[in-house]
Each structure stands twice: as C-alpha cells, then as structure tokens.
Amino acid sequence: MERRRLQGSIQSRYISMSVWTSPRRLVLAGQSLLKDEALAIAALELLPRELFPPLFTAAFDGRCSQTLKAMVQAWPFTCLPLGVLMKGQQLHLETFKAVLDGLDVLLAQEVRPRRWKLEVLDLRKNSHQDFWTVWSGNRASLYSFPEPEAAQPMRKKRKVDSLSTEAEQPFTPIEVLVDLSLKEGACDELFSYLMEKVKRQKNVLHLCCKKLKIFAMPMQNIKMILKMLQLDSIEDLEVTCTWKLPTLAKFSPYLGQMINLRRLLLSHIHASASISAEKEEQYIAQFTSQFLSLQCLQAVYVDSLFFLRGRLDQLLRHVMNPLETLSVTNCRLSEGDVMHLSQSPNVGQLSVLSLSGVMLTDISPEPLQALLERASATLQDLDFDECGIMDDQLLVLLPSLSHCTQLMTLSFCGNPISISVLENLLHHLIGLSNLTHVLYPVPLESYEDVHGTLHLGRLAYLHARLKELLCELGRPSMVWLSANPCPHCGDRTFYDPEPILCPCFMPN
C-alpha cells in the first residue's frame, strides 16, 4: 500500500511537470528520482513516457545497472538509440550488460508487458542524433520528436474487444542494429558479449547491420560473425582485403544472401598460383553468379581485381537493374570488356563513372564514346585519371562529353594531353551549365625533358591561358585545376597556377 501511494505521488508530480516544465527540469527530476533506485524501478509502470529519456540518460551516466535493466523492459518507444549515448566515451561493460540483460528478461516472456513497445536496440553511434537532445533542454518543444506508433491500431482494437487483453501483445523478435568493421583484434569484450547473446537467442534477437566493412581478418572468424547476422539487413558492404580467389569463393555464398545490398566495394583480389585454370573459372563463376540475387544493387566499386580482364561482361550480365555508380579502378581491361561495358543495359542511368587507373592507351575510343552517350542524360561525375588517354583518343570523346548535360565534375589527371587539345576540350565543355570543377593533367608543353621535370613557369603560363579563356567565354567561376603526382610520395600536387604543395614540401 505504501509503495502504491508513493507511485501515485510520483505519477502526479511528474505528469504535471512533464506538461508545464522545461526539458531541463525533467532531466533534474530524473536525477532526483535515481537517488532512490529501488523506488525509481517500482515507479516505471506509472512514469510518464517523457521522463524515460532523461531518466535513462541519468541512469546510463551514473551506471545504475538495475535501473537500466528495468527501464529496457518498460521502454515506451519503438527504438532505444543506445549507440548515441555510447559515442565519445568508454562504455562500462556492466552498463552494457545491464541493457542486454533487460532484453533477456523480455525475451523470456511469452507475452509483452503492457507498455513495452521496444522493437529496435540501435547501437550505431551516428543515428537518431536528435532523440536525446529533444529531452536535454536543447530543444524548445517536448513534442518535436516523431514517435512511430506501428502497433497502435491493433492495440486500440484490443481495447474495444477486451480491456483484459491489452497486456497480451504478440511477441516479435527484437532487432539490434550495429555498424561493423571486421579486422584483426577489433572484437572487444562488449562485442563478444553481444555475439554470445545473439548466438543463444538468434530466433528472437536479430543482429542487423546496414554497413559492414571487412578488413584483415581470418575467414573462419568472418564466417562465424556472418552466421550471426541477418544478412538481408546489409545495405552497404566494403571488402578491402588481400584475398586470393579461393577465399573470395568461400565468401560468395554469404554475398548472395545480402539481397537488400545497395552498395558494394570489393578490392585487392589476387591470383592464386596453386589452382588450375578450370578451378579458377569455377571460383569466378561462383562469385559473379551471386549478383543475380542483388536486385537492389545501385553502386559497384571494384578495385585491383586480377581476374576482371576478359570477364567484365560476366559480372555485368548478372547485375539485374540499372546502376547509379560504377567504379572500375586499377584493373586490367580488354577492348572487349570496354565494348561490353558500353553495351550493357546497366549503364544507361549512371550518375558516377570511374575508370581511374585502367590503362586505355591501346583501346579504341569508340566504345568509350558510346558509353558516354548512353549515360549522357544522367552522368554527374566522371573520372578518367591515370588511364593513359592520348590526344587523338580525347578528341574522339569531345562531342560525347559535350552531350553530358548533367556533368558536375570531370577528372582526367595523369594523361598525356597537349595544351591545344585542352583548349579544344574547354570549348566543348563551356556549355555544360552544371559543370563546376575540372581537374586536368599538366599539359605536355609544361615538361622540360622526357624524365618528367616540370617547368613551373610554363605551367603557370598555360594555366593562366585557360583561365583567361574561361573568362572570355563567360564561365569565370568554373574551377579548372591541373594536377601531377608528387615526385617524392606520389600524391597529387595541384597547380592554380602556383603549386599547392603536398606535405612533402611542408616545413616540419
């Protein structure tokens, strides 16, 4: 009876405070309530929902494990964005365990508690940034935070049918959202504890990951983690490992299960001298066939794939929908590959195209011309850096470039182009109203000798000529920068017209 009286007193006090008082006072009220942790836990059933966030924040900062455990069970919102609170601090293991233990209690129940709405525990550190600030006093209105009420219609229906069934909400699994970077030594105690929880309760606790990055980690460890993940939750995947083809083949079946994948980055797949040509073809087919399942794929980035020469069409024909981004960099391609690329049904809606580091010197420019025409209505960013494009090839491409009406940035550094062809290029691009930045190579006339020694005076003069031409043609605000690899470190040195030096030239 005494506990009920205290609960009623707390309810009356905080309901009136939540309606008429600033968020800052709600925070102070939560801190005050935590002075009696047992009473705070007992009062959760009747506590107004607007007091939950400040009370949870205070309990989290104060490492009040029992209160946190109880609050998770009574959480009145569909999402608990814990990751934002974890950002920028060393999370106490016992605090994290308390939150997961609160989920354990819920998952052990056959029906949900009356007030429980929790569907998602979000451990990502860069999502739901506004949730906690709404209640911290930094926002003017308590009611500015949108709250999804997906279960509300069903709950109202139950209320009409029978008041007694309001507490009996059907059970659905809880999602735990994470962003993962898998690399050697990255699995700390917190992650290991989470994985153990998921392993024991995989049917009711779903580990979801929208962004997954895989670095250097043994394949057996990667497979163990992938088996714990809801692979259809992955939308963004980066694999930057130095794998050989057999390792990629082991990973391929997991890739095929990522049916909602939108962005894929894959780099540094090397040859394996120990396998036969027949086995190599089998592994490649096993990898490329997975793209048939990736029907949400919009962006593909592949870099340094040894096997791509002569097989680009094999990959593209398994991509089932138009791509928005295609980046094939530092790969060897044949003329047939470029021909297939220009004819692929997947490239007609590209907004980003990069062939940086793909040697095109000995490839006919006509397929590239056709490719640019195919994407001319949508292409916004084009990168032909370090492709070995010569004057005569670029001249063939100029009309197609002038048709790319949406183009915003063009980069073709590291190609041996003369100043006369650059001026010709400028005349073709001047009518593209969206084009704001062009990064062009140091003109051939700027070199003193065959060893690549730059004459900075000549370069400044030639750059000034282009700037003057831009002004004459009415586009003085279009940015044209020339760039050249630094002879010391290989990074780009920019010239506008004086060199913008890389750190090699900076004083210590």
Side-chain angles (χ1 to χ4, degrees):
M1 181 65 71
E2 179 65 17
R3 178 57 56 88
R4 179 170 295 182
R5 184 186 66 79
L6 288 172
Q7 287 177 339
S9 173
I10 290 171
Q11 181 189 26
S12 173
R13 174 183 176 186
Y14 288 113
I15 286 178
S16 60
M17 180 174 289
S18 67
V19 173
W20 302 109
T21 308
S22 69
R24 179 58 184 163
R25 289 195 64 187
L26 285 175
V27 174
L28 295 175
Q31 293 172 345
S32 175
L33 184 58
L34 275 178
K35 292 179 180 179
D36 187 342
E37 192 171 2
L39 181 58
I41 294 172
L44 291 177
E45 180 69 16
L46 299 174
L47 208 63
R49 66 200 304 269
E50 57 263 34
L51 190 57
F52 269 77
L55 182 62
F56 189 93
T57 302
F60 185 85
D61 292 339
R63 299 181 179 179
C64 303
S65 297
Q66 293 305 312
T67 301
L68 290 173
K69 181 177 178 180
M71 291 195 76
V72 169
Q73 300 169 55
W75 192 248
F77 303 95
T78 56
C79 178
L80 174 53
L82 185 65
V84 180
L85 294 183
M86 296 161 56
K87 188 175 182 179
Q89 63 171 286
Q90 185 68 35
L91 182 62
H92 189 248
L93 178 60
E94 294 306 315
T95 304
F96 185 64
K97 285 183 175 180
V99 174
L100 295 185
D101 290 346
L103 291 181
D104 267 349
V105 175
L106 283 175
L107 296 171
Q109 301 180 33
E110 295 183 1
V111 295
R112 292 187 174 198
R114 179 178 62 86
R115 293 188 61 181
W116 180 37
K117 295 182 180 178
L118 185 61
E119 299 173 1
V120 177
L121 173 62
D122 196 339
L123 300 181
R124 298 173 300 170
K125 296 183 179 181
N126 294 308
S127 63
H128 301 288
Q129 298 284 342
D130 288 346
F131 181 88
W132 303 104
T133 57
V134 167
W135 313 95
S136 68
N138 297 331
R139 299 291 180 89
S141 172
L142 284 174
Y143 306 103
S144 60
F145 179 72
E147 300 168 21
E149 296 285 355
Q152 189 172 359
M154 184 176 293
R155 196 157 51 246
K156 284 184 176 180
K157 186 176 185 298
R158 287 198 189 103
K159 216 168 187 178
V160 173
D161 294 341
S162 171
L163 290 175
S164 63
T165 62
E166 185 184 8
E168 298 181 1
Q169 303 175 44
F171 177 80
T172 55
I174 295 177
E175 292 185 357
V176 180
L177 295 184
V178 294
D179 285 335
L180 290 180
S181 293
L182 304 183
K183 52 188 174 182
E184 194 69 49
C187 296
D188 57 17
E189 195 173 0
L190 298 178
F191 182 72
S192 299
Y193 189 78
L194 173 61
M195 293 298 292
E196 187 60 34
K197 288 282 187 184
V198 173
K199 184 177 180 180
R200 291 204 311 264
Q201 304 192 76
K202 190 177 180 182
N203 291 333
V204 292
L205 194 62
H206 288 178
L207 186 61
C208 300
C209 175
K210 288 193 174 183
K211 293 183 179 181
L212 174 62
K213 296 181 180 181
I214 302 177
F215 299 101
M217 176 179 275
M219 177 52 68
Q220 62 266 27
N221 294 354
I222 294 173
K223 290 171 66 174
M224 179 188 68
I225 293 172
L226 291 177
K227 288 176 181 178
M228 296 294 102
L229 282 175
Q230 301 293 315
L231 295 177
D232 60 355
S233 69
I234 299 173
E235 297 180 4
D236 190 325
L237 173 66
E238 294 186 10
V239 181
T240 53
C241 303
T242 52
W243 285 351
K244 293 187 177 180
L245 198 53
T247 306
L248 178 64
K250 292 178 182 178
F251 176 77
S252 295
Y254 298 98
L255 174 64
Q257 297 177 57
M258 302 176 189
I259 58 174
N260 291 306
L261 192 68
R262 297 178 180 275
R263 178 180 179 270
L264 170 64
L265 185 152
L266 178 66
S267 69
H268 292 90
I269 305 300
H270 300 303
S272 179
S274 60
I275 62 174
S276 65
E278 181 181 0
K279 199 69 175 176
E280 181 177 289
E281 291 299 327
Q282 179 183 333
Y283 287 150
I284 293 170
Q286 185 175 351
F287 166 68
T288 58
S289 65
Q290 305 304 321
F291 284 79
L292 287 167
S293 303
L294 308 181
Q295 300 196 18
C296 296
L297 196 61
Q298 297 175 346
V300 175
Y301 301 80
V302 291
D303 179 79
S304 302
L305 304 191
F306 88 93
F307 62 83
L308 207 56
R309 181 178 175 84
R311 300 188 180 94
L312 184 60
D313 66 314
Q314 184 176 339
L315 188 153
L316 289 175
R317 71 169 176 259
H318 289 107
V319 177
M320 303 307 294
N321 52 298
L323 294 172
E324 295 179 3
T325 297
L326 178 62
S327 176
V328 180
T329 57
N330 301 307
C331 297
R332 295 177 62 218
L333 296 183
S334 67
E335 187 154 341
D337 289 323
V338 181
M339 181 67 73
H340 285 298
L341 177 60
S342 68
Q343 298 172 349
S344 171
N346 314 111
V347 302
Q349 298 178 28
L350 285 176
S351 61
V352 177
L353 172 64
S354 175
L355 295 178
S356 176
V358 175
M359 192 54 57
L360 301 173
T361 305
D362 297 325
I363 292 179
S364 170
E366 280 73 22
L368 288 174
Q369 184 183 32
L371 175 60
L372 293 175
E373 290 288 354
R374 289 279 313 281
S376 60
T378 56
L379 193 61
Q380 297 179 8
D381 299 290
L382 178 61
D383 185 349
F384 280 156
D385 285 352
E386 308 290 342
C387 290
I389 295 175
M390 312 290 284
D391 275 355
D392 56 346
Q393 292 173 302
L394 185 56
L395 286 171
V396 175
L397 299 180
L398 293 184
S400 298
L401 283 171
S402 68
H403 296 159
C404 297
T405 55
Q406 304 303 312
L407 196 63
M408 301 172 65
T409 62
L410 169 62
S411 183
F412 61 109
C413 297
N415 298 293
I417 305 297
S418 66
I419 186 62
S420 62
V421 173
L422 286 175
E423 290 179 350
N424 200 342
L425 172 67
L426 189 150
H427 279 92
H428 277 81
L429 299 182
I430 205 69
L432 301 181
S433 59
N434 293 311
L435 184 62
T436 58
H437 289 79
V438 176
L439 199 57
Y440 65 94
V442 170
L444 290 175
E445 292 83 354
S446 302
Y447 295 102
E448 292 185 351
D449 51 43
V450 295
H451 302 294
T453 305
L454 273 178
H455 190 294
L456 294 182
R458 285 186 210 160
L459 178 59
Y461 170 73
L462 296 173
H463 185 78
R465 274 178 60 182
L466 292 175
K467 297 281 281 186
E468 183 179 351
L469 191 55
L470 283 170
C471 293
E472 291 176 1
L473 295 174
R475 294 294 302 275
S477 61
M478 186 188 292
V479 177
W480 277 58
L481 285 173
S482 58
N484 201 55
C486 169
H488 296 279
C489 66
D491 287 346
R492 284 179 179 172
T493 300
F494 296 95
Y495 300 89
D496 185 31
E498 295 300 321
I500 305 171
L501 297 177
C502 77
C504 293
F505 294 91
M506 300 299 180
N508 293 328

